[in-house]
C-alpha cells in the first residue's frame, strides 16, 4: 500500500534543514522550488564561520519566492524561511517562537560532525520529521 503524496499543509508543522557551508547550492535549488505562499515555515541551520557577519539570507532571498531572514531570538515562527545566525543553535519552541542558543552540542554521536551547525538542537525541538 503506497503512502499518499506529501502535503505540507497537512503533513508538516515546519520544514527543518541543516547543511554545511558546502550545501548552499543545494539549499538555493530547494528554496527556489518553494512557491510564494508556501504554507509551512522553513528553518535552516548552516555551518558558517563565526568570525564574520553572514549575508547568506540575502543571497538565498534572491532565489526564493518566500521571505528569507536571519532568525531573531523569540521571533514568531509562522511563515517564510529563517536562518540561524553564524555560531548559534536554533530551536523552535512549543509556542512557535524561535530561540537562539550557544549551548554545547547534546547529541554526542553526531557532535563531531554537527557541533557548530546546531542541527541537533533544531531537530530536537521538533516532535516529528517526515522523510520521503
Amino acid at each position: 500500500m503506497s503512502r499518499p503524496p506529501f502535503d505540507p499543509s497537512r503533513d508538516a508543522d515546519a520544514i527543518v534543514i541543516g547543511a554545511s557551508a558546502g550545501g548552499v547550492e543545494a539549499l538555493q535549488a530547494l528554496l527556489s522550488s518553494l512557491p510564494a505562499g508556501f504554507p509551512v515555515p522553513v528553518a535552516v541551520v548552516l555551518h558558517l564561520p563565526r568570525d564574520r557577519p553572514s549575508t547568506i539570507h540575502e543571497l538565498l532571498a534572491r532565489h526564493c519566492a518566500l521571505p528569507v531572514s536571519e532568525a531573531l531570538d523569540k521571533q514568531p515562527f509562522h511563515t517564510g524561511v529563517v536562518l540561524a545566525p553564524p555560531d548559534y543553535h536554533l530551536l523552535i519552541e512549543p509556542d512557535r517562537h524561535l530561540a537562539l542558543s550557544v549551548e554545547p552540542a547534546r547529541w554526542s554521536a553526531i557532535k563531531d560532525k554537527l557541533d557548530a551547525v546546531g542541527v541537533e538542537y533544531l531537530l530536537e525541538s521538533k516532535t516529528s520529521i517526515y522523510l520521503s
Side-chain angles (χ1 to χ4, degrees):
M1 178 175 195
S2 67
R3 173 170 39 182
F6 176 72
D7 176 354
S9 61
R10 180 193 68 220
D11 297 327
D13 294 325
I15 305 294
V16 295
I17 302 167
S20 68
V24 172
E25 195 172 307
L27 188 56
Q28 285 175 341
L30 177 82
L31 294 179
S32 70
S33 72
L34 300 178
F38 186 71
V40 180
V42 179
V44 178
V45 179
L46 288 169
H47 185 186
L48 297 171
R50 69 180 82 177
D51 59 344
R52 57 182 176 251
S54 172
T55 58
I56 192 70
H57 61 284
E58 295 168 358
L59 171 74
L60 293 173
R62 292 192 291 255
H63 299 273
C64 187
L66 299 169
V68 179
S69 63
E70 191 170 85
L72 301 171
D73 196 40
K74 306 306 177 205
Q75 166 185 343
F77 183 58
H78 299 294
T79 60
V81 179
V82 293
L83 286 92
D87 209 30
Y88 277 89
H89 303 297
L90 180 64
L91 295 91
I92 303 168
E93 299 287 355
D95 67 357
R96 307 230 2 122
H97 283 77
L98 299 174
L100 299 176
S101 170
V102 293
E103 292 180 26
R106 290 184 260 181
W107 291 4
S108 60
I110 60 171
K111 182 180 184 301
D112 291 340
K113 299 224 182 275
L114 299 175
D115 187 34
V117 180
V119 174
E120 69 274 25
Y121 281 89
L122 183 58
L123 294 176
E124 192 172 276
S125 68
K126 296 306 302 162
T127 57
S128 62
I129 300 168
Y130 184 95
L131 299 175
S132 176

